[in-house]
Amino acid sequence: MSDAESHAFDADMRRANRKKAVEGRSVIFKIKRCDGPGKPSRWESFKVPVEQGGNVISSLKWIAANPITTEGTKTTPVVWDSGCLEEVCGACTMVINGRVRQSCSCLIDEYAPLEGDAITLEPMSKFPVIRDLWVDRARLFHNLTRVKAWVPIDGTYNMGAGPKETPEHQQMRYALSECMSCGCCLDACPQFTKVEDEEKWDTSFIGAHAISQARLFNEHGTGKLLKGDRYEELAGAGGVSDCGNAQNCVKVCPKGIPLTESIGAVGRGTTVHAIKQFFQGKE
Amino acid sequence: MADEKRVIVVGGGLAGLAASVRIAEAGVPVDLFSMVPVKRSHSVCAQGGINACNEVARQQGYSEYQHFDETLIGGDFLNDQHPVLEMANWAPKIIDLLDRMGVPFNRSSEGFRDLRLFGGSLFKRTHFAGATTGQQLLYALDEQTRRFASEGKVNMMEFWEFLYPITEGEGEDKRCVGIVAQDMRTMQIRSFRADAVVMATGGCGLVFGKSTNSIICTGGAASRCYQAGAWYGNPEMIQVHPTAIPGADKCRLMSESARGEGGRVWVPRKKGDTRKPTDIPENERYYILEERYPKYGNLVPRDIATREIFDVCVNEGMGINGGNQVYLDLTHKDPEYLTRKLGGILDIYEKFVGDDPRYTPMRIFPAVHYSMGGLWTTYTPGDYQPEQPGTEHKPGNPIPIDAQPGHGLTIGAHNNAMTNITGLYAFGEVNFAYHGATRLGANALLSCIFDGLCNGVSVVNYVREGVDTPASELDQSIFDQAQQAEQAKHDKLMASVNTGKGDQSLNPYQIGQEMGEVMNAASTVVKTGPGLEKCLAKLDELRERFSRVELGDGAMWTNQSLSYARSVGDMLILAEAIAKAGLLREESRGSHYRTDFPERDDERFWKTSVAKFNEETGKSDIEFIEVKAGLVKLRPRNYGKVDSGTNKEKIPPKQVAQANA
Amino acid sequence: MQKHHFLLRRLHSLTGIVPVGVFLIMHLTTNSTIAWGGLNSRAHGDGWIDRSIATFQHEVEFINNMPLLLLIEITLWASIGFHSILGVVYAMSGRPNNADYKYGGNARYTLQRLTGYFGIFFIFYHVATLRWGWDWLPGAAKWSHEHAASTLAHALQGSTEQFTTTGLFVSIFYFIGVSALVFHFANGLWTAAITWGLTISRKAQQRWGFACAGLGAVLMIMAWVSVVGFATLDYEQARGVEEAMKLDSLPIDSGSHTETAAVEQTDIDG
Ligand SMILES: Cc1cc2nc3c(=O)[nH]c(=O)nc-3n(C[C@H](O)[C@H](O)[C@H](O)COP(=O)(O)OP(=O)(O)OC[C@H]3O[C@@H](n4cnc5c(N)ncnc54)[C@H](O)[C@@H]3O)c2cc1C
Ligand code: SF4
Ligand code: SF4
Ligand code: FES
């Protein structure tokens, strides 16, 4: 099945669920909880009435106001991360029913259409848990620094317009630039593993997210100037060649970023860069 | 280093990042505080675009000056005029800068920046990157900030919540020398020294419960400055956006760009028509805005569109199936074209509602969106000081003043965008100055970045030249005291933890929800004196309940309920200022519409309302002070409305602004 | 390791294709002659099977007589060793998650690693038994390049007389082993194109995917027919053909060594 097809398949199934959703039902949330780093995890279940158009975040809000488990014991409100609630900020990533995705766009009707259906929520698996469903994604942002994901402008003073660009090229950059650093692509990637020791971040696999951002900046008229630096980093340990081409990243990316194309493009770039370096005899 | 002077920027949205970059670039180290990784700030939600005069429009008679004029009439003349002039003049240069930073602005086939129409103008002057312009701009600034951070010039303090400004001195001499903040993970409370503090903490949509804002937009930070003595300007000016998708947890915005790209707002002419929208023939559709405002059509300013939609649904009962919804229709456009120009927002609709807006008209209703009001700030006017304020500017009229910097504001003057507390600045949505009584679409992003870039220079100058005793040399006791005061508030909240059954009416989430409901009902689209009085009474009750609030989580680690509860207390204070100023402003102006005072009353109320926190009563005192005008004369604002109300006589809708299509 | 990370990664990818992959193709081509060598009308013998046995035997001899054989062999061993060791190191760095993410690509990712591990094990057994003659290993048969087909029949059938249980296990083992290697090669070829940056767009990756799948299918068939061919080969018959060939080629051995392969072939036919 091609990517487009598998997305469509998913969407069809979810749409079908939406059609059969029962009004006024309650569903069960099974949530993996943890009080803090180094503390043990535990599961708690909550029975939550479904509002019209309700999603995982609105359900978590309901739980925050009524933190009572299905066993009837009072517990603490669940801690989670969110922001925009419209799938552009990238904050609310969680593992839902075993798969990573944004929780704000996760409609209850699509996942638990019938009375008593269950939804499991777990924190992302590749980042250290801060508490409950909230994880620390500092490494993901650190990786953007690794590939110098910026345009090296001369300063913020007025110096005229930027480079001209064809609409096709703009569309291509825009598609990459929509990445919201949610980390879904990393959580689903078999090659990207949890690394808690910050010292090791720079040599651990960087993941599709930063590889794709490197490509974005290599494609900008001025951003290109740092191409060499980016390829050096991506040729090194934890760089693009650590990718095992499982292509899960592109399947789970909520923004539909063409990640595998970016991996190919950056692969080509590093190859060419290495050959050039070899013949120019640079260090 | 000789100048170990530092600046704290609170907030990493567009305003905070633009400020950080500017200040750090000038060589002053910045500590940047944000509750979320800055890349996730609320600015990421902005969809439609950013306004600026441009060459194409200029050659059709448009100008920076006209942009300025439009912003004033849009704001119903409640804007401070000088900063608006400066902002309009800077706009094209800001676009150029963003372009250089790599923002993928949409392009014309020849490779120039593409433009779209937006509310309040007949010219294409809105630059955009798909339908996620805010995201793209925020990322560009985030990247530059990351670059400075990697060079050690900006110190990122993410997941730190601002609790209170630290001040020294009293009255006129009061100056801001730092902040108290709390690590949201470890719950550690600490004081930080700074020679200037820039507040760039965004809006307060959560005061109204469900809004189009992110869930961090509580206005808590602004409220804390307000309680510390900073004035709050025009609190009652809250923009309700005409087109949002009502939802369980928030109202998701359908950007004005949907109308800018040709979207039409309509309801069935027949009340309670149950046919599918696509089955209703053209002549049985009532195009509300096009018929009522033939000149601007669907692109009238937001407050007007909102009121008309509200009127049609609530007063005339003509909403879809009798409910509070109208159609926003794009189905007459080429789906391919729509994807290219509006893909981002159409996806949102499809994801959350389940219908594809390329083929089915969207159902929308107004929702709280933006706060024109905010911390009151001052400035030093620039060199444009006409003898007589100008009259309405029309395309083709001579332009009274060119677009060089320095006409509106004196660039670099220490007090630009400074609050009444010396050294405490307010940038972005939390600044009250630019948008008056209604903000024009795509002007907010501009004002945020403008504040950062232009007034960032003022911060640098102030820190370098205006601060005699650096904060680093002040007595530690000032900072300890401030920290202890916050610790005490924190401990008091923690002491309220109730892990038993508890009293639901003292649950912070419950109090927050009731506040949202009452504010939404009484203080948004249509306000009345009695309604606002009732609202104020309800707020009193909620505040009393809040004083006995019971927390559900006693953890000393990553306690989100505590943070939320604290902000509920601060929101209640802000809510009171909003409702009270609304009650005292006995007129209708821009977004503020009072059925009991339906006309604009320039005699009494061409004034900025300023809320001052009264420490003794714990309430707001509202004063009305002169609007800083003098550049453009007052004039009525009606956007060429034709006889409104009914749909009996049908006026053929005219194509809007064909001239520059 | 750090500094040469990129070089090692690329060499790893390269060695998988050249020489290892190329050798795999050649090896499978040779072996599968046991099934289609009958096509060669000039081969020794009358029946299809005889001719196949003869063709195979001839191919083996040809390889055995290649100049610089030792060098070729050493390069091959070194490459396989290098590819295997690094491959294991790299594979260990991943954490497969197929239960949760049931995508085709993800399945291939994990299979690539599993087939790699299994392939190493298989190659080792294959070489140890047939090349180094570690006959204490179960199912081992002593290799003799003069009796190529019959030795293999012996190995895959467990004895020279009948098809034993050991033979069944060895055959199945071979069947899985060669399948794994073929998959590993075809899939590796597909991913290498992305790694090296030859295929970038989704379309290109898809097209190259079809090409690799096609190649994989052909190789897979060759691999299977080889295994089936030897597993069902009549030992005595093979032995007979081989002996006959040995006799036939003797005079040539005593004759001039400068004759070309073409001439040799004619002689064999004669
Ligand atoms: C859905 C939507 C669409 C919009 N579309 C447009 C558009 O098309 N064009 C346009 O011009 N405008 C648009 N706007 C308006 C515009 O997006 C906002 O006005 C603008 O982004 C505000 O930016 P800001 O920098 O002032 O604040 P924000 O982006 O809101 O950032 C606030 C920052 O302050 C931090 N913060 C807040 N409180 C604290 C605290 N206590 N301690 C520490 N940090 C804190 C937050 O972490 C955050 O980093 C839109 C708004 C919405 C809601
Ligand atoms: S590439 Fe996609 S999945 Fe990965 S961080 Fe970006 S938006 Fe998220
Ligand atoms: S293609 Fe690479 S980056 Fe993407 S999931 Fe697979 S291993 Fe990870
Ligand atoms: S809350 Fe922003 S992506 Fe879900």
Side-chain angles (χ1 to χ4, degrees):
Chain A
M1 217 183 284
S2 77
D3 297 341
E5 277 165 344
S6 79
H7 279 304
F9 174 74
D10 245 22
D12 284 348
M13 199 180 66
R14 291 195 274 123
R15 200 164 296 154
N17 275 350
R18 204 186 282 199
K19 286 236 170 65
K20 67 178 183 205
V22 180
E23 227 172 282
R25 72 191 182 285
S26 294
V27 300
I28 307 292
F29 275 85
K30 294 188 182 153
I31 303 177
K32 189 176 185 184
R33 306 199 52 181
C34 168
D35 290 337
K39 304 257 172 70
S41 299
R42 62 179 191 280
W43 288 89
E44 280 179 3
S45 299
F46 301 88
K47 188 168 177 185
V48 179
V50 181
E51 282 176 88
Q52 193 178 3
N55 56 40
V56 167
I57 301 281
S58 66
S59 307
L60 284 170
K61 277 188 178 168
W62 190 90
I63 294 173
N66 309 275
I68 300 180
T69 67
T70 41
E71 286 89 44
T73 39
K74 178 148 182 178
T75 178
T76 51
V78 178
V79 171
W80 79 95
D81 197 3
S82 65
C84 65
L85 306 189
E86 52 193 50
E87 209 171 66
V88 283
C89 80
C92 66
T93 323
M94 293 172 197
V95 175
I96 302 177
N97 288 356
R99 276 214 229 169
V100 69
R101 61 164 293 160
Q102 297 312 106
S103 53
C104 64
S105 61
C106 179
L107 302 183
I108 309 300
D109 283 359
E110 296 182 347
Y111 273 67
L114 304 177
E115 173 71 32
D117 278 357
I119 296 182
T120 61
L121 305 181
E122 293 166 74
M124 294 174 84
S125 60
K126 305 292 172 67
F127 300 95
V129 173
I130 296 175
R131 187 175 169 191
D132 294 342
L133 300 171
W134 190 16
V135 297
D136 181 359
R137 279 172 280 183
R139 177 176 166 207
L140 182 151
F141 293 106
H142 173 83
N143 285 347
L144 293 178
T145 309
R146 267 176 83 181
V147 296
K148 302 199 175 157
W150 54 72
V151 175
I153 54 169
D154 280 348
T156 61
Y157 294 89
N158 176 34
M159 295 174 181
K164 237 169 111 177
E165 164 175 53
T166 63
E168 292 71 35
H169 196 258
Q170 179 270 342
Q171 288 293 310
M172 183 272 254
R173 280 204 311 124
Y174 178 71
L176 300 177
S177 188
E178 274 192 297
C179 164
M180 57 184 178
S181 293
C182 61
C184 286
C185 56
L186 307 177
D187 216 60
C189 170
Q191 218 39 58
F192 187 92
T193 50
K194 192 172 186 170
V195 178
E196 307 220 16
D197 179 1
E198 286 186 34
E199 303 273 298
K200 297 207 179 110
W201 285 357
D202 282 338
T203 50
S204 305
F205 181 43
I206 195 161
H209 153 256
I211 293 174
S212 184
Q213 289 293 301
R215 176 184 182 210
L216 168 63
F217 290 95
N218 287 348
E219 287 290 347
H220 183 264
T222 319
K224 257 196 200 102
L225 298 177
L226 295 177
K227 217 171 174 171
D229 291 4
R230 295 192 191 105
Y231 285 145
E232 287 296 319
E233 178 64 27
L234 288 168
V240 65
S241 41
D242 286 18
C243 163
N245 297 301
Q247 305 207 335
N248 285 355
C249 46
V250 78
K251 294 260 165 61
V252 297
C253 172
K255 289 277 145 184
I257 315 280
L259 293 168
T260 42
E261 300 195 1
S262 294
I263 291 168
V266 169
R268 173 182 295 179
T270 35
T271 310
V272 172
H273 177 76
I275 294 172
K276 270 197 196 149
Q277 293 294 88
F278 181 79
F279 285 107
Q280 289 173 356
K282 289 220 186 96
E283 268 303 294
Chain B
M1 261 201 300
D3 53 343
E4 253 318 281
K5 288 182 179 167
R6 303 185 75 83
V7 170
I8 283 179
V9 174
V10 184
L14 283 173
L17 294 180
S20 302
V21 168
R22 234 324 135 76
I23 296 169
E25 187 182 4
V28 178
V30 173
D31 298 307
L32 175 53
F33 286 75
S34 173
M35 289 172 65
V36 296
V38 295
K39 198 174 180 178
R40 310 204 193 286
S41 292
H42 164 65
S43 293
V44 81
C45 294
Q47 305 172 342
I50 174 166
N51 293 334
C53 179
N54 55 83
E55 286 315 308
V56 180
R58 197 189 301 287
Q59 288 162 45
Q60 297 169 40
Y62 195 68
S63 60
E64 282 87 350
Y65 189 83
Q66 176 130 29
H67 181 190
F68 159 65
D69 190 73
E70 280 168 3
T71 306
L72 295 187
I73 185 81
D76 223 345
F77 289 94
L78 209 56
N79 335 48
D80 276 356
Q81 299 191 350
H82 306 84
V84 177
L85 175 64
E86 194 66 34
M87 171 177 87
N89 286 351
W90 277 53
K93 293 162 194 140
I94 288 177
I95 304 292
D96 276 349
L97 172 65
L98 294 166
D99 192 5
R100 276 170 52 221
M101 287 181 180
V103 173
F105 285 115
N106 275 51
R107 299 284 160 165
S108 67
S109 47
E110 207 185 323
F112 294 104
R113 290 183 299 243
D114 204 357
L115 298 158
R116 67 164 48 128
L117 271 178
F118 237 72
S121 185
L122 298 175
F123 291 87
K124 285 195 176 181
R125 51 129 164 77
T126 302
H127 303 253
F128 62 104
T132 60
T133 312
Q135 179 195 38
Q136 298 305 317
L137 303 191
L138 183 73
Y139 289 0
L141 287 165
D142 170 65
E143 289 141 13
Q144 295 302 324
T145 309
R146 184 164 294 110
R147 179 181 170 205
F148 281 113
S150 76
E151 293 165 6
K153 293 175 183 160
V154 174
N155 174 29
M156 303 296 278
M157 301 290 286
E158 289 169 333
F159 295 123
W160 279 81
E161 183 177 355
F162 162 86
L163 296 185
Y164 219 67
I166 304 176
T167 55
E168 135 221 69
E170 278 308 317
E172 294 278 288
D173 293 333
K174 195 160 170 173
R175 84 171 163 125
C176 184
V177 293
I179 67 165
V180 183
Q182 179 169 35
D183 185 326
M184 295 165 71
R185 293 151 298 188
T186 64
M187 306 308 278
Q188 180 202 11
I189 292 178
R190 249 199 73 182
S191 66
F192 296 85
R193 295 172 187 241
D195 296 285
V197 172
V198 177
M199 299 302 296
T201 49
C204 58
L206 247 69
V207 168
F208 298 84
K210 289 178 201 172
S211 75
T212 63
N213 292 18
S214 295
I215 57 161
I216 44 171
C217 300
T218 60
S223 172
R224 288 164 204 160
C225 294
Y226 173 59
Q227 292 165 58
W231 303 342
Y232 199 93
N234 292 334
E236 72 278 24
M237 292 304 171
I238 296 291
Q239 179 166 82
V240 181
H241 197 288
T243 58
I245 321 164
D249 48 346
K250 88 173 269 194
C251 300
R252 296 176 177 86
L253 183 74
M254 263 309 118
S255 160
E256 192 164 307
S257 52
R259 283 173 290 139
E261 296 293 351
R264 307 174 73 183
V265 175
W266 63 276
V267 289
R269 240 169 235 289
K270 204 170 87 214
K271 257 190 204 182
D273 195 330
T274 51
R275 284 175 294 175
K276 279 203 295 193
T278 38
D279 293 344
I280 301 178
E282 195 63 23
N283 60 4
E284 290 179 41
R285 298 175 176 192
Y286 174 28
Y287 291 100
I288 310 162
L289 299 174
E290 292 166 44
E291 294 185 22
R292 293 184 181 184
Y293 298 87
K295 185 170 174 202
Y296 284 80
N298 291 294
L299 290 174
V300 287
R302 293 175 175 173
D303 56 312
I304 298 179
T306 295
R307 266 195 302 278
E308 298 298 352
I309 293 172
F310 195 84
D311 181 54
V312 161
C313 294
V314 178
N315 299 336
E316 298 183 21
M318 290 185 61
I320 304 168
N321 296 330
N324 280 345
Q325 279 178 354
V326 300
Y327 289 120
L328 171 58
D329 196 344
L330 280 163
T331 55
H332 53 287
K333 294 291 222 181
D334 171 28
E336 181 80 17
Y337 172 87
L338 291 175
T339 304
R340 198 155 24 101
K341 295 278 176 97
L342 299 170
I345 56 171
L346 301 184
D347 285 352
I348 291 181
Y349 190 86
E350 199 177 353
K351 236 173 240 171
F352 289 95
V353 182
D355 296 328
D356 186 344
R358 295 167 192 87
Y359 305 101
T360 321
M362 297 180 271
R363 296 150 165 256
I364 51 94
F365 196 68
V368 169
H369 181 57
Y370 183 86
S371 169
M372 278 74 71
L375 294 172
W376 181 89
T377 56
T378 182
Y379 56 82
T380 307
D383 57 16
Y384 176 56
Q385 284 165 5
E387 310 254 295
Q388 280 297 316
T391 48
E392 177 175 7
H393 185 74
K394 295 205 170 105
N397 287 0
I399 298 163
I401 183 78
D402 66 33
Q404 287 305 309
H407 294 324
L409 295 178
T410 301
I411 310 287
H414 295 182
N415 70 345
N416 288 349
M418 194 190 271
T419 66
N420 56 308
I421 300 176
T422 308
L424 182 67
Y425 292 80
F427 287 5
E429 189 168 340
V430 77
N431 179 349
F432 92 111
Y434 298 97
H435 306 294
T438 290
R439 170 176 70 87
L440 288 187
N443 257 353
L445 300 179
L446 178 61
S447 65
C448 289
I449 300 176
F450 170 74
D451 261 338
L453 295 181
C454 179
N455 300 326
V457 177
S458 297
V459 177
V460 171
N461 290 349
Y462 164 72
V463 168
R464 290 233 166 100
E465 297 152 15
V467 176
D468 297 330
T469 328
S472 54
E473 289 167 20
L474 291 175
D475 192 43
Q476 179 63 27
S477 63
I478 304 173
F479 300 94
D480 289 344
Q481 268 165 23
Q483 179 181 328
Q484 280 149 16
E486 287 309 305
Q487 187 71 47
K489 286 187 209 165
H490 171 267
D491 294 347
K492 181 161 169 254
L493 267 180
M494 284 304 276
S496 76
V497 170
N498 184 329
T499 45
K501 258 266 161 273
D503 180 348
Q504 185 62 14
S505 74
L506 302 182
N507 181 318
Y509 294 92
Q510 180 67 30
I511 298 177
Q513 189 181 340
E514 288 180 36
M515 170 183 63
E517 280 161 11
V518 64
M519 287 300 286
N520 222 331
S523 193
T524 51
V525 185
V526 175
K527 309 178 192 177
T528 66
L532 287 166
E533 272 166 11
K534 260 209 249 141
C535 171
L536 282 165
K538 176 76 184 178
L539 289 175
D540 279 344
E541 179 214 314
L542 291 175
R543 276 175 76 164
E544 189 282 322
R545 269 160 57 189
F546 183 78
S547 68
R548 296 181 286 127
V549 74
E550 291 178 354
L551 244 59
D553 187 353
M556 283 308 294
W557 175 265
T558 322
N559 191 330
Q560 279 177 335
S561 336
L562 177 120
S563 168
Y564 177 74
R566 181 167 45 211
S567 69
V568 168
D570 296 322
M571 283 194 278
L572 283 166
I573 289 173
L574 211 52
E576 193 236 359
I578 293 168
K580 192 159 176 188
L583 179 66
L584 296 180
R585 186 181 283 280
E586 295 177 326
E587 63 156 354
S588 292
R589 182 184 297 274
S591 301
H592 174 76
Y593 182 71
R594 288 275 300 260
T595 46
D596 39 0
F597 298 96
E599 298 302 322
R600 192 170 92 181
D601 182 350
D602 293 329
E603 195 70 35
R604 287 171 66 207
F605 290 109
W606 185 28
K607 298 229 164 74
T608 301
S609 58
V610 173
K612 299 181 181 174
F613 185 70
N614 185 326
E615 275 184 66
E616 266 144 51
T617 59
K619 298 229 169 142
S620 305
D621 297 331
I622 310 283
E623 286 171 27
F624 286 89
I625 64 169
E626 289 301 319
V627 172
K628 291 185 192 153
L631 305 187
V632 176
K633 233 192 353 248
L634 263 182
R635 62 176 190 269
R637 171 190 195 253
N638 63 15
Y639 288 94
K641 176 164 181 167
V642 297
D643 180 56
S644 74
T646 58
N647 53 336
K648 271 165 215 129
E649 70 232 270
K650 186 166 153 50
I651 296 135
K654 231 183 5 200
Q655 261 318 68
V656 181
Q658 244 162 3
N660 56 111
Chain C
M1 190 92 171
Q2 247 307 69
K3 185 146 174 262
H4 303 293
H5 181 87
F6 183 73
L7 190 67
L8 287 176
R9 279 280 185 182
R10 286 293 196 265
L11 272 180
H12 175 245
S13 170
L14 188 68
T15 48
I17 302 168
V18 186
V20 184
V22 172
F23 173 74
L24 179 73
I25 296 179
M26 283 167 41
H27 195 31
L28 287 177
T29 316
T30 311
N31 286 14
S32 60
T33 53
I34 198 62
W36 55 264
L39 279 177
N40 181 357
S41 55
R42 291 180 299 177
H44 191 280
D46 326 314
W48 172 271
I49 294 180
D50 278 6
R51 282 206 301 279
S52 295
I53 295 168
T55 313
F56 177 65
Q57 181 60 35
H58 175 71
E59 289 294 313
V60 171
E61 305 251 339
F62 171 72
I63 291 172
N64 256 299
N65 292 327
M66 269 194 343
L68 300 178
L69 186 61
L70 189 67
L71 193 69
I72 293 175
E73 239 182 295
I74 289 175
T75 318
L76 204 54
W77 292 138
S79 300
I80 292 178
F82 175 80
H83 190 81
S84 305
I85 292 169
L86 275 192
V88 170
V89 171
Y90 294 155
M92 303 280 271
S93 70
R95 297 274 174 285
N97 53 11
N98 300 75
D100 287 325
Y101 300 97
K102 299 188 175 81
Y103 305 122
N106 200 24
R108 286 196 297 276
Y109 166 89
T110 305
L111 263 183
Q112 183 73 356
R113 277 134 193 85
L114 293 180
T115 53
Y117 291 136
F118 191 78
I120 295 172
F121 181 53
F122 170 69
I123 292 173
F124 178 79
Y125 173 85
H126 177 59
V127 171
T129 50
L130 291 176
R131 182 90 190 122
W132 305 332
W134 292 8
D135 45 19
W136 46 269
L137 282 171
K142 183 101 180 92
W143 171 255
S144 144
H145 66 80
E146 288 168 353
H147 301 113
S150 57
T151 321
L152 286 175
H154 175 183
L156 290 189
Q157 295 166 17
S159 81
T160 52
E161 284 95 41
Q162 78 227 51
F163 203 97
T164 66
T165 322
T166 319
L168 183 66
F169 278 117
V170 172
S171 291
I172 292 176
F173 181 62
Y174 263 77
F175 189 80
I176 300 174
V178 290
S179 307
L181 289 178
V182 167
F183 172 85
H184 190 86
F185 173 60
N187 189 52
L189 208 54
W190 180 70
T191 58
I194 305 173
T195 307
W196 288 80
L198 299 174
T199 53
I200 293 182
S201 75
R202 205 172 287 238
K203 267 268 155 57
Q205 293 184 6
Q206 211 173 37
R207 256 184 257 132
W208 180 238
F210 286 130
C212 294
L215 177 68
V218 171
L219 291 180
M220 198 65 97
I221 290 170
M222 296 203 317
W224 290 348
V225 297
S226 310
V227 173
V228 173
F230 290 116
T232 55
L233 188 65
D234 185 79
Y235 179 81
E236 293 303 335
Q237 185 181 2
R239 199 74 189 181
V241 176
E242 286 155 11
E243 289 302 325
M245 282 174 72
K246 224 158 105 185
L247 291 175
D248 279 359
S249 58
L250 275 178
I252 302 168
D253 255 359
S254 57
S256 162
H257 281 269
T258 54
E259 277 161 312
T260 63
V263 177
E264 257 180 63
Q265 203 153 13
T266 344
D267 285 346
I268 293 170
D269 282 336

